[in-house]
Amino acid sequence: MAKKYLIETFGCQMNFHDSERMAGLLEQAGYESTADDRDADVIVINTCSVRERAEEKLFTRLGEINHQALETGGRPIVAVAGCVAQQEGNQILKRSKAVDVIIGTQNLKRLPMLVDGAVQRRESGIRGGATLDLDPLDDVSFPLGIARRVDALKAYVTIIEGCNEFCAFCVVPYTRGKERMRPIAEIVADARLAADTGAKEIQLLGQIVNHYQAPDDPACDFAALLERLNDVEGIERIRFASPHPRHVTPRMIEAMRTLPKVCRHLHLPAQSGSTDILKAMRRRHTREEYLELTLRLREAMPDIALSTDIIVGFPGETAADFEQTLSLAETVRYHSMFSFKYSPRPNTLAIKRMVDDVDEGEKTRRIVELQSAQRRIQGELYTEALGRTEQVLVDSRSRRREWELSGRTSGNTVVNLSGDPAWIGRTLPVRITDANPNSLRGEVLGDELPGDLCKSK
């Protein structure tokens, strides 16, 4: 009987793609996937340290696994991966006896070997002796075709590992290391393989994705990479996350404007609307520069949808600073926003050099006000879409209604529609008929459908 594995993932898109990679490695080593933790021989917990209480969530889960093992008498091999593993290392072993392997963010290719070593120790009757593997590796290449992709239509493609920005609030440079670029030849090969296996959309991943510079081709910057990927047959859409405002170049804007496969959506993290707070955050751009950039983007692409990240209550943020953030949101009018209350993260410049001096109640008041404004703005933008025809890549059945399908516009807005499941994987013209708080609803224009789809409708 084949051994079974379960991977539990917390965090960002990078983490989810890392889990796809680890799943592929374990399957290559002879393991089969299971969704039941009681049935798993190996449990991998892939962690994120960006959000508050990440460490406590990990130890709560480890406690549950340990308690379950005591009840059933069967103890799986437990591996902790991801940013909390890289950040906490030995401290995890001191707090939990349930862990057999701790593997860093840059060492994923070693997972099967480390799990095999843990199995051998267990079979030899050796207790304890968990393995730590946190030393950074310079090699960012990864075997093609290994990742076990969760989504048949959308494929993550990593182009950069690590980050050199050292924003004051961010743990990424400490957990994922310095910036390392993946070769252009490997990226294009990955995209072609994704297309050959049925993917219609690729999403490029990197901490500062638009800072890409190919190590195997000095002339290839991020704009040139988009051009190369636009030529990959079978791929219909190209997305990327997350860019940094100060690395959005005229060449990148022109590539987004002219390349038909590059989606008209840009996630452009602002973090704050106050130049003073941006300086304290070490973001290296001002409010005025950010607003000027959004103006240039909209002049080039009037239909572009912008989204962002905002932190409220950063050390030193005054009521006036927060008002600047509110006015930024009102001026830019984001289609979506991820907003968070500031919380000190381990090892960051903010926790070392700044005092978390904004009262927790005030942080809550500010984020409630910001999110309320964003809901209104988003609702207004969605209402403006009524009657418009959007090209929607139908990617799944709706989560709420069995008879309904769901897809996304080029601007990354969710659209629900009635239709045949045979439409999944097709990009269809959809007239928007209704606006909900977090999605749109529409109907497929039957007279514009291919013949086989008209029959199925």
Side-chain angles (χ1 to χ4, degrees), residues 8-12 15 18-19 22 44-50 54-55 57-59 62 79-87 92 103 105 176:
E8 301 178 354
T9 309
F10 304 96
C12 65
N15 271 36
D18 284 347
S19 291
M22 289 188 286
V44 181
I45 305 176
N46 192 11
T47 62
C48 171
S49 62
V50 172
E55 297 87 348
K57 290 178 183 177
L58 167 64
F59 290 114
L62 290 174
V80 179
C83 291
V84 174
Q86 186 73 45
Q87 175 182 288
I92 296 174
I103 183 169
T105 55
R176 289 191 174 267

Side-chain angles (χ1 to χ4, degrees), residues 81-123:
C83 291
V84 174
Q86 186 73 45
Q87 175 182 288
E88 298 297 321
N90 226 355
Q91 295 302 313
I92 296 174
L93 299 181
K94 291 180 179 179
R95 289 186 58 178
S96 175
K97 296 181 180 180
V99 181
D100 300 280
V101 173
I102 297 178
I103 183 169
T105 55
Q106 302 169 58
N107 305 61
L108 300 185
K109 285 181 283 189
R110 293 177 175 171
L111 178 63
M113 177 188 70
L114 299 176
V115 168
D116 185 56
V119 170
Q120 291 178 20
R121 290 197 304 273
R122 181 82 57 86
E123 292 175 346

